[in-house]
């Protein structure tokens, strides 16, 4: 019953209308998880139970397909401001006109509806729909009508035998001749091979690649690929445009090993630009993933992948020299505005302006032991005029910012603070309880973090909190209400299907005798605990579920569907019902809880119940108690129509009881802030994103904690009893 932060946010962003059009393939799960990890937008959470996870993933895919991207920045490509978009009136080629050559060549496309989606400059993306269901897409230049890529991948064509090389090549040649006409004669066949993509596209095709030739010489990176599926149909067509060819040529100045005659394995619209996957990158590296902003004005990401083996990092001195040279080659004079920040698994550079760091504008470069660039990423792609940066002199004083810290620093228990760790495996071998002072319960405090849990707005001097781990909104809600009660003497135990059936009858008054039944095991990600699930599904595909610890049989979760669609129950009544449910199934050693989050009810969708959601930390004397990371200990949902609890989830990492120290002799808040600032002094910076990780219209000044270099990326804690700064090993 665990749903991580990224999936919850994906659900919140999903509308009911689009979700109803979803079809799901389980193989897409890894794709979504990879993509969602790159998204850090924060929103009010929506409760999602385990039965909806498949629909959640599918909906996220559907949205990505419809928009042509997964939007990290909260703006679709069609909303991206650019000088080209102001010239839209000059675009003479309609989607229907651009589609005509494809339609005349591929009869299977007859009857599909065209719907315009994303746009970057003069490149427009068009979805191919059957009714309202996504079937494929193509993109074209609105000025010239030239097709940039086309994709139509039928699920049934992803299995079965592929055509032989010769047949695939002849099919591809005929396709190009029909679609490109005379232009196809400028391209010579250079390779044919089987392409398997188990990540983003989950399929296998025969990939046939052509390269432009002039006077017997190949034009570097001017390539076209056609992919043929098991039905002998064209599943993909893509080509590099002039801007992409120029960027790839620029890359070869620093990376001479990059093959000028690669294959084009994939191409798509990505954020406010494009992403291309090159195969046959060179002799040692199988693929190069390249994403750009706009029409390849900026390189956003460059990543090499190997078929076998993992690359080893270069020594620090070699890595710095290589990364510095690459930075200069890619950015030219602008490279002087980036300063070395630190080295972890990559070299990180931070942009500066007026001698102040510009947060959210960083570059990371990884170098392998051979001195080759294998990874490059540039976070900030949104352009800001220099005049939009406020004068640093308008910020409040550091002393005023410190007073705001003193007003907001708070106590927090960690049950299992790591004391020792095995060097070989990295596993924690010894822990102890820790009472700490922290500025944010919902987020772990890292030295020189890549993302912020809190900051003090520079001109107002007021603190701003982001949503924390797993979407927790504990800190900025400032609702620190604890509940004490007498816990049960023992766990509720379920060890069989029949016992699970009886528990559902007892708890919810529902008989599942005639429903479809399934059971399965799963491993809880926060603890590696194996859980057993007993699941019944009614005729409406609604789930009734009991989840247990497989070894002991203790009940870890319960769920039943929401009844009706009304939202009539107020918070006080729902909260009382949640506590009544919680006290039945809470761990016997826990005598107090504190609200960590309250999720408001709403309309039900295929991926979200719309229930009231109450999420609890364990607590002691009103102080939150965490296992290791900021996670809810328990979640209870309440039906907003009936006022009855309809879900429970135990998210604790362990049921072990830990004796916690008292909080009667802690240092003062003023002392705690002084210690905090010794390890992480306040630094005045420019922020390009707000507390919800959304791009701002203009930069703002802010004070953020900025650790010394030796603490970069490390977990730092203030011992509330001794005042010492302690680091995790």
């Amino acid at each position: 019953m665990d749903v991580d932060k990224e999936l919850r946010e994906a659900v919140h962003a999903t509308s009911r209308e689009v979700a109803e059009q979803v079809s799901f393939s389980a193989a897409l799960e890894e794709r979504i998880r990879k993509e969602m990890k790159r998204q850090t937008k924060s929103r009010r959470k929506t409760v999602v139970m385990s039965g909806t996870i498949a629909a959640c993933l599918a909906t996220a895919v559907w949205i990505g397909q419809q928009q042509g991207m997964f939007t990290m920045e909260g703006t679709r490509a069609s909303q991206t401001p650019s000088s080209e978009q102001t010239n839209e009136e000059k675009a003479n080629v309609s989607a229907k006109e651009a589609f005509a050559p494809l339609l005349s060549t591929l009869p299977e496309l007859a009857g599909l509806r065209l719907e315009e989606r994303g746009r970057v400059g003069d490149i427009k993306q068009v979805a191919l729909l059957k009714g309202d269901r996504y079937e494929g897409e193509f993109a074209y230049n609105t000025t010239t009508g030239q097709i940039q890529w086309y994709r139509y991948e039928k699920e049934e064509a992803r299995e079965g035998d592929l055509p032989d090389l010769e047949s695939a090549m002849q099919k591809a040649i005929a396709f190009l001749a029909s679609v490109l006409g005379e232009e196809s004669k400028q391209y010579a066949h250079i390779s044919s091979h089987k392409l398997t993509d188990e990540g983003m596209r989950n399929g296998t095709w025969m990939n046939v690649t052509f390269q432009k030739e002039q006077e017997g010489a190949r034009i570097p990176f001017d390539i076209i690929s056609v992919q043929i599926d098991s039905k002998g149909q064209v599943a993909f067509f893509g080509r590099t445009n002039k801007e992409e060819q120029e960027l790839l040529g620029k890359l070869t100045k620093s990376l001479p090993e990059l093959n000028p005659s690669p294959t084009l394995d994939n191409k798509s619209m990505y954020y406010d630009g494009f992403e291309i996957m090159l195969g046959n990158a060179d002799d040692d590296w199988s693929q190069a993933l390249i994403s750009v902003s706009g029409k390849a004005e900026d390189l956003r990401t460059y990543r090499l992948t190997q078929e076998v083996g993992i690359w080893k990092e270069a020594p620090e001195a070699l890595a710095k020299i290589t990364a510095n040279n690459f930075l200069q080659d890619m950015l030219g004079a602008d490279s002087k505005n980036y300063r070395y920040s630190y080295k972890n698994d990559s070299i990180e550079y931070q942009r500066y302006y007026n001698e102040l760091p510009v947060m959210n504008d960083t570059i990371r470069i990884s170098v392998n032991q051979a001195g080759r660039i294998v990874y490059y990423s540039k976070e900030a792609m949104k352009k800001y005029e220099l005049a939009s940066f406020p004068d640093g002199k308008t910020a409040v004083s550091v002393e005023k910012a410190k007073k705001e810290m003193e007003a907001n620093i708070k106590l927090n228990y960690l049950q299992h603070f790591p004391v020792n760790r095995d060097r070989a495996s990295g596993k924690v071998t010894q822990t102890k309880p820790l009472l700490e002072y922290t500025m944010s319960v919902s987020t772990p405090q890292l030295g020189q973090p890549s993302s912020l849990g809190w900051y003090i707005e520079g001109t107002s001097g007021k603190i701003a909190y982001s949503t924390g781990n797993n979407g927790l909104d504990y800190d900025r809600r400032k609702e620190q209400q604890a509940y004490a009660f007498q816990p049960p003497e023992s766990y509720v135990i379920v060890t069989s299907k029949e016992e699970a059936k009886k528990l559902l009858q007892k708890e919810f008054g529902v008989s599942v005798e005639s429903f479809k039944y399934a059971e399965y095991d799963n491993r809880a990600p926060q603890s590696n605990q194996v859980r057993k699930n007993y699941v019944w599904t009614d005729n409406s595909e609604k789930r009734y579920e009991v989840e247990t610890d497989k070894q002991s049989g203790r009940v870890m979760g319960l769920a039943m569907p929401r009844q009706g669609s009304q939202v009539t129950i107020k918070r006080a009544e729902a909260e009382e019902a949640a506590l009544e449910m919680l006290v039945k199934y809470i761990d016997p050693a826990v005598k107090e809880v504190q609200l960590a989050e309250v999720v408001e009810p709403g309309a039900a969708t295929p991926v979200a119940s719309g229930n009231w959601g109450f999420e609890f930390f364990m607590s002691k004397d009103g102080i939150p108690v965490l296992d290791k990371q900021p996670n809810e200990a328990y979640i209870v949902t309440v039906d907003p129509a009936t006022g009855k609890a309809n879900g429970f989830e135990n998210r604790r990492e362990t049921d072990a009881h830990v004796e916690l120290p008292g909080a009667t002799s802690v240092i003062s808040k003023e002392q705690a802030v002084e210690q905090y600032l010794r390890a992480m002094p306040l630094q005045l910076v420019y922020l390009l994103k707000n507390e919800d990780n959304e791009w701002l219209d203009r930069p703002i000044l802010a004070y953020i904690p900025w650790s010394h270099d030796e603490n970069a990326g490390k977990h730092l804690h203030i011992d509330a009893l001794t005042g010492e700064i302690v680091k995790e090993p």
Side-chain angles (χ1 to χ4, degrees):
M1 290 188 180
D2 180 72
V3 181
D4 61 27
K5 177 182 178 181
E6 292 80 13
L7 294 178
R8 292 187 184 199
E9 292 170 353
V11 169
H12 176 74
T14 302
S15 72
R16 180 171 49 198
E17 289 78 13
V18 301
E20 289 171 348
Q21 305 301 328
V22 169
S23 61
F24 176 62
S25 168
L28 291 172
E29 178 170 347
E30 183 61 22
R31 171 184 175 184
I32 298 307
R33 290 189 181 277
K34 288 179 181 178
E35 291 295 336
M36 289 303 170
K37 285 179 181 178
R38 289 189 261 186
Q39 299 190 42
T40 51
K41 289 191 301 180
S42 297
R43 291 285 190 274
R44 180 180 67 83
K45 293 191 302 174
T46 301
V47 169
V48 184
M49 301 308 286
S50 62
T52 67
I53 188 169
C56 171
L57 291 167
T59 302
V61 172
W62 194 91
I63 294 171
Q65 290 170 329
Q66 298 300 316
Q67 296 182 356
M69 73 206 96
F70 288 87
T71 311
M72 178 179 67
E73 300 162 0
T75 52
R76 290 180 54 170
S78 58
Q79 298 171 321
T80 304
S82 69
S83 59
E84 288 86 355
Q85 285 179 306
T86 62
N87 297 326
E88 187 169 355
E89 294 300 322
K90 297 180 180 179
N92 298 319
V93 182
S94 68
K96 185 176 181 180
E97 290 170 328
F99 185 60
L102 287 172
L103 183 59
S104 64
T105 305
L106 304 173
E108 61 266 27
L109 302 182
L112 294 179
R113 181 167 62 88
L114 309 185
E115 187 169 303
E116 297 179 1
R117 299 297 184 180
R119 179 180 180 134
V120 175
D122 53 7
I123 306 299
K124 183 178 290 186
Q125 181 196 37
V126 181
L128 303 175
L129 306 176
K130 178 177 289 186
D132 290 327
R133 184 178 294 279
Y134 175 91
E135 293 284 315
E137 66 180 45
F138 73 98
Y140 73 102
N141 186 303
T142 55
T143 302
T144 65
Q146 184 186 76
I147 300 292
Q148 298 293 298
W149 74 84
Y150 155 78
R151 184 177 296 105
Y152 189 66
E153 300 167 349
K154 304 297 289 183
E155 191 71 29
E156 61 269 19
R158 299 189 182 194
E159 298 180 357
D161 296 332
L162 293 172
D164 58 54
L165 294 177
E166 182 63 27
S167 298
M169 183 177 71
Q170 293 305 320
K171 179 74 174 182
I173 291 173
F175 171 80
L176 288 187
S178 179
V179 172
L180 303 184
E182 287 295 313
E183 185 189 7
S184 67
K185 297 178 181 179
Q186 301 175 35
Y187 288 83
H189 173 256
I190 60 171
S191 70
S192 297
H193 70 284
K194 185 169 72 172
L195 169 66
T196 299
D197 184 346
E198 296 177 350
M200 297 299 292
R201 292 167 62 194
N202 184 40
T204 301
W205 304 270
M206 196 62 73
N207 196 13
V208 185
T209 300
F210 305 82
Q211 187 163 12
K212 191 171 185 177
E213 291 187 351
Q214 286 184 350
E215 298 179 353
R218 292 179 178 177
I219 307 302
F221 301 109
D222 191 340
I223 52 177
I224 291 175
S225 283
V226 180
Q227 294 169 13
I228 310 299
D229 63 23
S230 64
K231 305 298 183 183
Q233 297 179 338
V234 175
F236 172 81
F237 157 75
R239 67 188 306 170
T240 56
N241 59 36
K242 181 180 178 181
E243 291 81 9
E244 292 159 350
Q245 294 162 26
E246 291 175 352
L247 176 63
L248 291 169
K250 184 178 179 181
L251 276 173
T252 59
K253 295 179 181 179
S254 297
L255 305 171
E257 308 94 335
L258 198 62
N259 183 4
S261 300
T263 62
L264 181 58
D265 294 351
N266 196 19
K267 185 174 182 179
S268 59
M269 196 170 282
Y270 189 71
Y271 301 146
D272 59 345
F274 305 98
E275 180 178 81
I276 59 177
M277 179 73 79
L278 300 180
N280 192 26
D282 66 24
D283 291 339
D284 297 322
W285 300 85
S286 61
Q287 285 186 319
L289 175 67
I290 299 164
S291 64
V292 299
S293 65
K295 294 173 64 178
E297 291 94 347
D298 286 299
L299 177 66
R300 184 193 295 273
T301 303
Y302 171 77
R303 183 174 73 243
L304 287 174
T305 60
Q306 284 178 311
E307 289 184 354
V308 180
I310 300 175
W311 60 270
K312 297 180 180 179
E313 296 178 33
E316 186 169 358
L318 174 61
K320 284 185 177 180
I321 292 173
T322 305
N324 285 338
N325 291 338
F326 187 73
L327 197 66
Q328 293 173 22
D329 289 343
M330 296 309 301
L331 302 184
D334 191 36
S335 64
K336 296 178 181 178
N337 296 318
Y338 288 87
R339 300 181 186 177
Y340 170 81
S341 179
Y342 68 89
K343 181 184 184 301
N344 194 349
D345 56 348
S346 61
I347 302 286
E348 179 163 317
Y349 297 88
Q350 178 74 58
R351 178 183 279 279
Y352 278 73
Y353 178 69
N354 286 339
E355 295 302 309
L356 296 179
V358 181
M359 302 302 290
N360 319 118
D361 192 343
T362 56
I363 290 176
R364 294 179 179 86
I365 301 175
S366 296
V367 183
N368 71 359
Q369 74 275 21
R372 174 150 191 202
I373 303 293
V374 294
Y375 177 77
Y376 168 94
S377 72
K378 186 174 188 292
E379 180 182 6
M381 289 297 172
K382 185 168 182 177
K383 306 298 183 184
Y384 294 91
E385 298 293 333
L386 294 181
S388 67
F389 283 77
D391 190 333
K393 295 179 182 178
T394 62
V396 300
S397 67
V398 174
E399 287 302 315
K400 186 172 181 179
K402 286 175 59 178
K403 291 296 183 183
E404 183 71 0
M405 288 182 65
E406 291 169 3
N408 287 278
I409 200 167
K410 53 188 75 74
L411 290 167
N412 178 66
Y413 282 107
L414 294 177
Q415 291 190 104
H416 306 286
F417 177 77
V419 177
N420 289 312
R421 192 182 298 271
D422 181 77
R423 291 187 177 182
S425 66
K427 293 182 178 180
V428 174
T429 58
Q430 183 183 0
T431 65
K432 70 173 184 180
L434 176 70
L435 177 60
E436 67 168 352
Y437 269 110
T438 180
M439 289 300 300
S440 173
V441 172
S442 300
T443 52
Q445 181 62 61
L446 290 172
Q448 292 186 18
S450 57
S451 60
L452 298 173
W454 65 275
Y455 62 84
I456 294 173
E457 206 278 325
T459 54
S460 69
K462 297 298 183 181
I463 197 165
Y465 283 105
S466 67
T467 52
N469 190 55
N470 208 31
L472 290 173
D473 204 17
Y474 173 84
D475 295 285
R476 65 180 177 185
R477 291 175 65 253
K478 298 184 178 180
E479 184 180 323
Q480 299 172 4
Q481 185 175 1
Y483 302 89
F485 46 76
Q486 185 63 40
E489 295 182 358
S490 61
Y491 285 104
V492 177
I493 302 296
V494 166
T495 60
S496 69
K497 172 184 175 182
E498 289 303 315
E499 290 177 359
K501 191 187 304 182
K502 290 178 181 178
L503 181 60
L504 290 172
Q505 176 74 53
K506 176 183 176 182
E507 188 62 63
F508 301 128
V510 59
S511 173
V512 295
E513 190 66 45
S514 62
F515 297 165
K516 183 171 62 177
Y517 174 72
E519 64 180 60
Y520 60 89
D521 295 345
N522 71 87
R523 189 172 297 275
Q526 67 267 29
S527 63
N528 283 327
Q529 172 195 59
V530 177
R531 296 187 177 185
K532 188 174 187 65
N533 294 70
Y534 304 89
V535 182
W536 286 265
T537 308
D538 66 16
N539 293 333
S540 300
E541 295 300 317
K542 294 180 178 179
R543 290 164 61 99
Y544 300 77
E545 184 170 4
V546 177
E547 184 176 61
T548 66
D549 171 58
K550 186 174 182 179
Q551 183 175 13
S552 66
R554 59 192 172 105
V555 172
M556 305 299 290
L558 287 166
M560 71 165 287
R562 175 179 174 177
Q563 305 299 302
S565 59
Q566 297 296 314
V567 178
T568 59
I569 302 301
K570 302 300 183 183
R571 172 175 166 173
E573 185 179 351
E575 194 169 309
E576 182 178 351
L579 291 169
E580 289 177 0
M581 168 71 85
L582 179 64
V583 74
K584 298 178 186 178
Y585 298 99
I586 198 169
D587 296 285
V590 179
K591 298 181 180 180
E592 181 183 294
V593 296
Q594 185 175 359
L595 271 172
E597 179 67 277
V598 177
V599 181
E600 301 285 335
T605 76
V607 293
S609 65
N611 288 317
W612 275 103
F614 297 92
E615 308 182 12
F616 300 93
F617 291 136
M618 292 179 291
S619 67
K620 174 181 171 64
D621 300 325
I623 301 171
V625 180
L626 306 183
D627 281 326
K628 296 176 184 176
Q629 294 294 327
N631 279 317
E632 316 95 319
Y634 309 102
I635 299 176
V636 182
T637 60
V638 176
D639 191 319
T642 66
K644 296 181 179 180
N646 61 356
F648 165 78
E649 181 180 359
N650 186 332
R651 289 173 57 85
R652 286 194 65 193
E653 297 174 10
T654 174
D655 64 336
H657 176 69
V658 177
E659 197 66 41
L660 300 172
T664 56
S665 58
V666 298
I667 63 174
S668 67
K669 290 187 174 184
E670 292 77 12
Q671 290 173 308
V673 169
E674 288 295 331
Q675 286 296 90
Y676 193 106
L677 295 177
R678 285 193 178 97
M680 291 168 286
L682 290 177
Q683 168 72 50
L684 187 62
V685 302
Y686 290 107
L687 292 183
L688 306 184
K689 293 182 178 181
N690 64 13
E691 65 274 12
D692 285 329
N693 212 30
E694 298 168 329
W695 292 102
L696 294 163
D697 292 333
R698 57 180 297 160
I700 64 172
L701 288 165
Y703 284 103
I704 69 169
W706 190 279
S707 75
H708 305 295
D709 287 349
E710 63 268 21
N711 292 330
K714 295 182 178 178
H715 290 269
L716 305 174
H717 304 266
I718 304 168
D719 190 319
L721 299 177
T722 66
E724 295 179 354
I725 297 291
V726 290
K727 304 176 187 178
E728 295 185 16

